[in-house]
Amino acid sequence: MTDLTNLTVAGIRDGHRAGDFSAVEVAEAFSANVAGAKALNAFIVETPEHALTAAKAADADRAAGTLKPLSGVPIGMKDLFATKGVQTTAASHMLEGFVPPYESTVSQKLWDAGAGMLGKLNLDQFAMGSSNETSYFGNVISPWRRNDGGPNLKDRAALAPGGSSGGSSSAIAARLCPAATGTDTGGSIRQPAAFVGISGIKPTYGRCSRWGIVAFASSLDQAGPMARDVRDCAIMLEVMAGFDAKDSTSLDLPVPNWEAALSSDLKGKKVGIPKEYRLEGIDPDIDAMWDAGIAMLKDAGAEVVEISLPHTKYALPAYYIIAPAEASSNLARYDGVRYGLRDLPQGAGLQDMYAATRAEGFGPEVKRRIMIGTYVLSAGFYDAYYTQAQKVRTLIARDFEQAFASCDVILAPTAPSAAFGLGEKTADPLSMYLNDVFAVPASLAGLPAMSVPAGLNREGLPIGLQIIGKAFDEQGVLNAGLAIEERAGFTARAEKWW
Amino acid sequence: MSNSTYRIKGETGEWEVVIGLEVHAQITTNAKLFSGAATAFGAEPNTQVSLVDAAMPGMLPVPNRECVRQAVRTGMAIEAQINKYSRFDRKNYFYADLPQGYQISQLYHPIVGEGSLTIEADEKAGLPEAKVIGVERIHIEQDAGKLMHDQHPTMSYVDLNRSGVALMEIVSKPDMRSPAEAGAYVRKLRAILRYVGSCDGNMEEGSMRADVNVSVRKPGDEFGTRTETKNVNSVRFVMAVIEGEAKRQVALIESGGTVVQETRLYDPDRNETRSMRSKEDAHDYRYFPDPDLLPLELDDAFLAECRASLPELPDAKRDRYLGLGISAYNADVLTAEVEAARWFDTLLDAGAKGPTAANWVTSELFGALNRMGRDLTDSPVSPQQAAELLGLVADGTISGTIAKTVFEKMLESGDGAAAIVDREGLKQTSDTGAIEAEIAKILAANADKVEQYKGGKEALFGFFVGQTMKAMQGKANPQVVNELLKKALR
Amino acid sequence: MSIDQATVRKIASLARIAISDAEATAMEGELNGILGWVEQLGEVDVTGVEPMTAVIPNSLRLRDDVINADPLTGGNRRDDVLANAPAPQHGFFGVPKVIE
């Protein structure tokens, strides 16, 4: 019998439907993998019983002929999504032990579609980070190892799974779950997907409801799926997306049948190559993979055109004003009054309790961003920083708008490097921030963007390519992603050492 | 515009007080501004709290249309500029009654811009002339929760029932110069809000409260430094705060001190304000547009509906009453409270004549209600019944005197005026024969007074009228009595 | 614009985060590094450019004034609201005594 954990979402769905195996078998197989992969630290909480209950329901539904879109598919849930009755922490000490009496819209949609939950996935604390090293529950480790560094895989340097959705990326790459939810504020779906050789899509801002997702930066946060291939992303996104009256920024649009309309034939399509993304001193493997991607899309029938996104250079600094500003305010609710950690020193008053609780409950990166955000919003600096950044954001969005006059999708690298080692960038926050240089512009413009694996670099690590589409054109993004996927033929997987 | 003559007499001369008011008015709605929790007053603690109001992780605000609509209608009622584009901003600060760590408000782009209202002259209250008071803006914001300090020795208790209830903050210009003007402003504003239906104006329940900004200056000088006394919840207290705070500032300045711009709290028991140090600490609110909410854009249809739904407002109603020949005093009394005005309008609609009806309502009806300890909303006599009574007087069926009797019987029995008149035989008579007979008797019995009258003491005419009416048991038509008496005394 | 220790402390106080001397020192360097870097935004000519308000064209929807229309955003769930409270007290949230 085949290893069920090698199946994709589509494979599980179709095989279950066809009666090749039961959903319970699938859930048990993945739960066993989860239980056996503690070394990766991908899960904060494991919920095999949740997956099993959903699987039993799926098997019953099959018998009754009432199968749902994700019947029989167990998934991982990033621990930023509130799950009713299951601890939801945002990987923080602040929310350790917090059990929401409510379910996020996106996770509810997944359960309603028949999916089960294998557990809550680790992440960078409050989704702030690009390596998963800011989690209060310890960093996630990528299943990947470089192809040098000693004969024993286990002894080679531990690599970052990317962030903030690093639990999601690591778990999928290690076959602990076939798909998972992610959230992307400035690349948190795409960069980790690229680091471990899987796919992930951040849809247009507003496609997925933010209700019940622990907020980082409201104007940027978007949920999206991460999975092994493009089709699985389409299947997952169809379930996750949709209008939600509880979110004022939710898009009131029908959800297209993305999976049904998948097509890698790009004839008549134009692919833009932004010249500003050719950075000085970038890893040559990244540029080479980008060129290979260009060739693949040409092969799929697309015409390739050079485009200009002149304000690219300013995207990252603008992001590091806007996101921390919003975060400083969004995280003010963690004050030890109504839920979460309370640190009440002997004899402390209310304001002292706040300061002690927040000092204890937030990790260094979260504090750093709250501090930056507080500073840029403070009296006398607001216009120079925040208003200026939002104006630059307008210009960045305008750049894309003008570029899309001459192309349908944009192809670029996802990240400026392959996965880096744990601890390599923690000493200098700025060097970590710079890893999001290619991901952040699309976030600032609210555009759909995905990462697909394109190949391995010289060190044997996956490299992802990013496709950015017009607002609402997830289909165009998925189709271009599929064209690369088919041609790249990426089948490499991390050899098991854990 | 008049110049108030209200002055604080200090050791160095006279001081003028400058007053601006920020009135927080709870918008009358069923549900909260950004959540579906109820707003009713007096519920069990934390029962009217949604996950949104408790600022649980991942909760998001969705605005209530009615709050927007009522703010716009209120703006229209003070002829203010309505901003078709407005935004919600976050005002960031930490306090136990503020679950989100920020209040959603409107700083940069409020929904309503400049407007004004007029306070009427009221000689007795120290307002010699009518005065226009400018309104700077109206914006929508969330109310905070409530802290209770007396339930536990070392803890304060937080109740979030009010958290997220919609408020309008109505910011006046610093146009007021005396406690009387400020009192009149609050009363007028309250009347307008109640006419519009955007706020119930219930100050005891905290539906309306004012932050009172006070500064003093020598007449003609620049504005002085102001203090802000928070959450003052009655007209009387607003006036007391101004009086006390102005005196305190004058004494402070004259003794060589300076006024500090600060937040103060009013203690009604001691009738004094004190500095509120707990909120002094950080006044850097770091306002920025709420990224959970998009800009609020109002279309013409929405605005047209708001305007079309506005009722006749106090000033217009007062003018209309004056046009009907109603006295200025009665017009003021009848328009001050929306319930009275509505009751009176129904009375007019039922056919009663303006001036007579106004006199009757303000004297007879209000007098009776006062005695019974009731107000107009539970008057035992309906406007239709009152119209019937006044109609009987107008068409000569009963006299004014008999009308009083009939009214008393209406209050007792709840019966209609005509039925009472019929049953009790109170219809007045114009039977000249009967009246002439009585007149003849009276003149005969009072021959001396007849002599005096004819000798020029015309005031005695009233005496004869009274005697005749008495003899006729009040049922004689006074006009007929007048005519017949005049003839008999010629 | 470079920030000093005093500013770091002021921001930490505004943000209600207690910091030690060592943290303040470390943060001074980090924040200056980050703020120095974001200051390049000042180079951009933004004449006539409006700050971004809605990243994807969308208008603010208003909901009807109905109580508990959606139980997820309605009231009457005190137990849920208090379920995770560190110091629930007779239906209230308890906090250290506040002197106003």
Side-chain angles (χ1 to χ4, degrees):
Chain A
M1 179 168 159
T2 54
D3 180 357
L4 293 173
T5 62
N6 277 332
L7 292 173
T8 60
V9 170
I12 295 168
R13 176 193 63 185
D14 298 343
H16 176 252
R17 181 162 298 171
D20 298 346
F21 43 77
S22 73
V24 168
E25 288 174 277
V26 175
E28 284 172 346
F30 277 107
S31 288
N33 278 10
V34 170
K38 308 274 190 222
L40 299 179
N41 199 31
F43 285 86
I44 294 174
V45 171
E46 296 170 17
T47 56
E49 68 296 338
H50 189 291
L52 194 61
T53 305
K56 285 177 181 164
D59 287 339
D61 281 348
R62 182 176 60 185
T66 54
L67 281 171
K68 300 182 182 115
L70 288 177
S71 284
V73 181
I75 60 163
M77 185 61 58
K78 186 177 183 179
D79 199 24
L80 203 62
F81 293 78
T83 43
K84 189 172 179 173
V86 178
Q87 177 185 254
T88 300
T89 66
S92 69
H93 184 32
M94 184 65 88
L95 285 176
E96 191 174 11
F98 174 68
V99 179
Y102 54 96
E103 186 78 37
S104 82
T105 299
V106 165
S107 53
Q108 187 65 56
K109 280 171 174 282
L110 286 163
W111 313 148
D112 290 348
M117 177 167 70
L118 290 159
K120 300 296 292 285
L121 290 159
N122 206 346
L123 65 149
D124 276 302
Q125 194 170 139
F126 285 102
M128 298 177 189
S130 308
S131 67
N132 240 275
E133 290 165 292
T134 71
S135 168
Y136 175 74
F137 301 97
N139 50 270
V140 178
I141 295 171
S142 170
W144 288 86
R145 298 267 129 131
R146 291 190 182 109
N147 55 14
D148 54 7
N152 195 343
L153 274 176
K154 210 173 165 136
D155 299 334
R156 291 184 198 165
L159 300 178
S164 63
S165 311
S168 308
S169 66
S170 182
I172 295 166
R175 307 295 192 264
L176 312 187
C177 54
T181 56
T183 62
D184 192 316
T185 304
S188 282
I189 287 175
R190 292 161 285 159
Q191 185 255 23
F195 273 23
V196 302
I198 64 165
S199 298
I201 182 166
K202 176 194 94 71
T204 308
Y205 180 80
R207 274 283 190 205
C208 291
S209 169
R210 293 184 296 113
W211 196 88
I213 303 174
V214 176
F216 164 14
S218 310
S219 75
L220 294 153
D221 294 345
Q222 253 306 284
M226 300 167 75
R228 298 236 307 280
D229 65 20
V230 172
R231 175 171 300 273
D232 284 4
C233 285
I235 294 169
M236 288 280 289
L237 187 58
E238 273 182 39
V239 172
M240 293 166 69
F243 174 66
D244 182 4
K246 300 189 294 303
D247 175 357
S248 291
T249 59
S250 175
L251 290 171
D252 193 359
L253 294 174
V255 178
N257 290 321
W258 287 306
E259 186 197 6
L262 281 176
S263 163
S264 59
D265 179 358
L266 301 186
K267 271 198 273 303
K269 299 286 179 196
K270 287 183 180 168
V271 177
I273 308 299
K275 61 179 184 192
E276 290 81 4
Y277 282 46
R278 296 275 181 198
L279 297 186
E280 283 293 319
I282 198 174
D283 178 354
D285 282 353
I286 298 287
D287 261 352
M289 204 64 79
W290 191 8
D291 290 333
I294 291 169
M296 292 178 214
L297 293 182
K298 276 186 185 160
D299 183 59
E303 183 190 335
V304 170
V305 294
E306 187 187 74
I307 56 162
S308 175
L309 300 169
H311 296 91
T312 296
K313 169 182 174 194
Y314 300 104
L316 214 44
Y319 175 85
Y320 274 97
I321 289 173
I322 294 164
E326 293 183 9
S328 72
S329 178
N330 281 338
L331 271 63
R333 66 189 55 200
Y334 305 108
D335 58 7
V337 173
R338 297 165 315 284
Y339 49 79
L341 182 75
R342 168 180 291 193
D343 187 356
L344 182 59
Q346 189 65 37
L350 178 69
Q351 300 294 340
D352 298 328
M353 179 186 91
Y354 289 157
T357 298
R358 292 163 61 79
E360 182 69 19
F362 293 140
E365 182 60 26
V366 174
K367 288 182 195 172
R368 198 175 290 133
R369 297 203 196 187
I370 291 176
M371 294 281 284
I372 294 169
T374 303
Y375 181 71
V376 299
L377 290 177
S378 66
F381 300 106
Y382 174 73
D383 280 330
Y385 287 108
Y386 188 79
T387 309
Q388 178 76 6
Q390 289 288 20
K391 286 179 177 174
V392 171
R393 188 175 181 186
T394 299
L395 291 172
I396 287 163
R398 198 179 289 170
D399 282 356
F400 278 109
E401 215 176 298
Q402 286 165 359
F404 280 126
S406 58
C407 66
D408 300 294
V409 291
I410 292 168
L411 181 71
T414 304
S417 71
F420 46 82
L422 291 176
E424 272 178 26
K425 290 183 192 286
T426 43
D428 178 8
L430 254 183
S431 72
M432 187 73 88
Y433 297 173
L434 293 171
N435 208 254
D436 292 326
V437 63
F438 297 134
V440 154
S443 294
L444 287 172
L447 300 174
M450 91 177 292
S451 180
V452 290
L456 299 177
N457 71 359
R458 276 169 289 191
E459 296 173 309
L461 296 181
I463 302 280
L465 286 178
Q466 179 181 214
I467 298 122
I468 303 169
K470 297 174 186 172
F472 319 116
D473 187 24
E474 286 79 5
Q475 193 72 60
V477 171
L478 290 162
N479 286 353
L482 185 64
I484 289 177
E485 179 179 281
E486 287 176 357
R487 283 162 185 80
F490 184 89
T491 53
R493 57 182 287 188
E495 211 176 316
K496 192 167 188 299
W497 53 263
W498 56 92
Chain B
M1 196 178 282
S2 70
N3 287 314
S4 168
T5 52
Y6 181 83
R7 294 288 182 273
I8 306 286
K9 288 181 182 53
E11 288 168 9
T12 61
E14 293 197 331
W15 296 77
E16 183 182 45
V17 56
V18 175
I19 305 143
L21 294 175
E22 293 164 22
V23 172
H24 293 85
Q26 178 179 336
I27 304 177
T28 303
T29 56
N30 301 314
K32 291 184 179 180
L33 177 53
F34 293 115
S35 86
T39 58
F41 180 78
E44 284 291 299
N46 290 311
T47 52
Q48 295 180 353
V49 181
S50 68
L51 301 169
V52 180
D53 308 313
M56 291 284 170
M59 293 299 99
L60 297 171
V62 179
N64 181 338
R65 180 182 299 104
E66 184 65 7
C67 301
V68 174
R69 182 174 167 271
Q70 291 293 23
V72 168
R73 293 174 76 244
T74 305
M76 287 172 168
I78 57 163
E79 277 152 42
Q81 185 194 322
I82 307 300
N83 294 323
K84 291 173 80 173
Y85 177 99
S86 68
R87 280 220 70 162
F88 289 103
D89 299 306
R90 291 184 182 178
K91 177 183 184 178
N92 295 283
Y93 66 94
F94 288 89
Y95 205 61
D97 63 7
L98 190 72
Q100 295 163 138
Y102 53 85
Q103 176 195 35
I104 305 179
S105 179
Q106 297 188 300
L107 176 73
Y108 298 109
H109 300 282
I111 189 161
V112 176
E114 286 191 27
S116 67
L117 58 79
T118 305
I119 52 176
E120 300 302 333
D122 184 349
E123 206 71 61
K124 271 187 283 179
L127 300 167
E129 287 174 57
K131 182 173 174 178
V132 175
I133 308 294
V135 170
E136 184 75 43
R137 56 188 282 159
I138 301 176
H139 64 255
I140 305 172
E141 64 184 25
Q142 296 176 298
D143 202 353
K146 216 174 130 187
L147 283 178
M148 264 148 285
H149 306 298
D150 49 4
Q151 315 273 318
H152 189 280
T154 61
M155 274 200 251
S156 293
Y157 285 180
V158 186
D159 174 12
L160 298 179
N161 278 350
R162 286 197 70 88
S163 168
V165 166
L167 303 177
M168 285 180 280
E169 180 169 331
I170 303 156
V171 183
S172 85
K173 296 192 171 174
D175 284 352
M176 289 157 276
R177 296 291 179 270
S178 70
E181 287 183 9
Y185 170 83
V186 175
R187 278 194 296 267
K188 184 60 175 283
L189 183 58
R190 180 173 174 276
I192 291 172
L193 296 176
R194 284 164 48 77
Y195 269 67
V196 169
S198 57
C199 172
D200 66 18
N202 191 331
M203 298 187 89
E204 294 79 52
E205 292 179 2
S207 300
M208 208 179 144
R209 51 195 199 262
D211 294 348
V212 184
N213 289 288
V214 175
S215 65
V216 295
R217 64 174 174 183
K218 290 282 175 70
D221 280 4
E222 297 289 303
F223 286 150
T225 304
R226 64 187 165 86
T227 61
E228 181 180 24
T229 305
K230 290 266 188 201
N231 284 333
V232 185
N233 66 356
S234 82
V235 174
R236 193 161 58 87
F237 292 163
V238 166
M239 294 170 71
V241 163
I242 295 165
E243 209 176 323
E245 185 55 18
K247 282 182 183 150
R248 188 190 69 85
Q249 291 183 13
V250 167
L252 183 65
I253 297 168
E254 291 191 333
S255 64
T258 47
V259 176
V260 193
Q261 185 165 345
E262 63 179 355
T263 304
R264 299 181 69 85
L265 197 66
Y266 179 63
D267 181 345
D269 298 332
R270 298 176 168 194
N271 189 25
E272 61 182 30
T273 64
R274 61 182 163 84
S275 186
M276 216 172 150
R277 284 183 189 81
S278 62
K279 291 209 174 172
E280 274 320 283
D281 142 55
H283 273 307
D284 193 340
Y285 291 127
R286 291 160 284 133
Y287 279 99
F288 77 111
D290 191 325
D292 285 330
L293 293 160
L294 300 157
L296 175 57
E297 289 169 276
L298 305 176
D299 60 28
D300 291 334
F302 183 86
L303 297 184
E305 187 284 322
C306 288
R307 196 169 289 284
S309 69
L310 280 182
E312 185 182 38
L313 294 164
D315 287 355
K317 204 176 278 288
R318 184 175 181 277
D319 288 347
R320 179 163 61 85
Y321 288 175
L322 294 175
L324 293 174
I326 294 171
S327 72
Y329 173 80
N330 278 348
D332 284 344
V333 170
L334 289 170
T335 53
E337 292 288 340
V338 65
E339 289 84 3
R342 291 217 182 101
W343 203 97
F344 185 66
D345 278 339
T346 315
L347 179 59
L348 291 178
D349 288 347
K353 291 283 166 288
T356 329
N359 283 332
W360 182 82
V361 169
T362 55
S363 56
E364 300 298 322
L365 178 63
F366 285 178
L369 291 173
N370 220 1
R371 280 199 309 278
M372 298 190 298
R374 291 198 183 192
D375 62 37
L376 208 48
T377 49
D378 57 356
S379 164
V381 172
S382 72
Q384 288 74 16
Q385 289 175 311
E388 185 189 336
L389 173 65
L390 293 172
L392 292 174
V393 179
D395 69 10
T397 307
I398 56 172
S399 68
T401 319
I402 291 293
K404 290 181 206 266
T405 312
V406 174
F407 179 49
E408 288 304 324
K409 291 181 188 295
M410 287 167 72
L411 291 173
E412 283 163 23
S413 64
D415 293 340
I420 293 170
V421 167
D422 274 353
R423 190 171 67 215
E424 315 256 329
L426 296 171
K427 203 173 258 186
Q428 76 181 355
T429 176
S430 302
D431 176 348
T432 50
I435 299 172
E436 276 171 338
E438 293 299 333
I439 289 176
K441 281 189 229 163
I442 289 160
L443 296 190
N446 295 285
D448 52 337
K449 293 208 169 63
V450 174
E451 277 310 305
Q452 288 171 20
Y453 176 81
K454 287 184 173 168
K457 205 169 176 192
E458 291 188 1
L460 279 169
F461 189 73
F463 166 79
F464 296 119
V465 172
Q467 290 296 307
T468 312
M469 291 301 286
K470 196 172 159 194
M472 295 295 297
Q473 292 167 305
K475 283 182 279 182
N477 182 323
Q479 250 170 337
V480 175
V481 171
N482 273 352
E483 280 165 26
L484 294 177
L485 263 174
K486 274 185 188 149
K487 212 161 68 178
L489 286 165
R490 203 172 285 149
Chain C
M1 214 168 324
S2 138
I3 60 173
D4 55 17
Q5 286 260 351
T7 310
V8 170
R9 290 186 176 286
K10 192 185 136 234
I11 303 165
S13 158
L14 263 181
R16 296 296 185 280
I17 296 175
I19 53 169
S20 65
D21 290 348
E23 283 172 314
T25 310
M27 248 177 218
E28 184 188 349
E30 285 167 3
L31 296 192
N32 274 319
I34 295 163
L35 291 168
W37 169 68
V38 300
E39 258 158 34
Q40 60 179 299
L41 281 185
E43 298 164 12
V44 184
D45 180 4
V46 292
T47 316
V49 178
E50 286 297 314
M52 172 77 78
T53 48
V55 61
I56 297 297
N58 198 354
S59 59
L60 184 59
R61 285 182 319 278
L62 302 173
R63 54 169 235 283
D64 293 338
D65 181 28
V66 178
I67 297 168
N68 303 342
D70 180 344
L72 289 175
T73 54
N76 275 334
R77 51 192 307 166
R78 178 157 78 179
D79 291 348
D80 281 348
V81 163
L82 286 161
N84 286 280
Q89 295 283 326
H90 315 290
F92 294 93
F93 298 97
V95 295
K97 197 158 207 88
V98 179
I99 293 113
E100 278 180 306

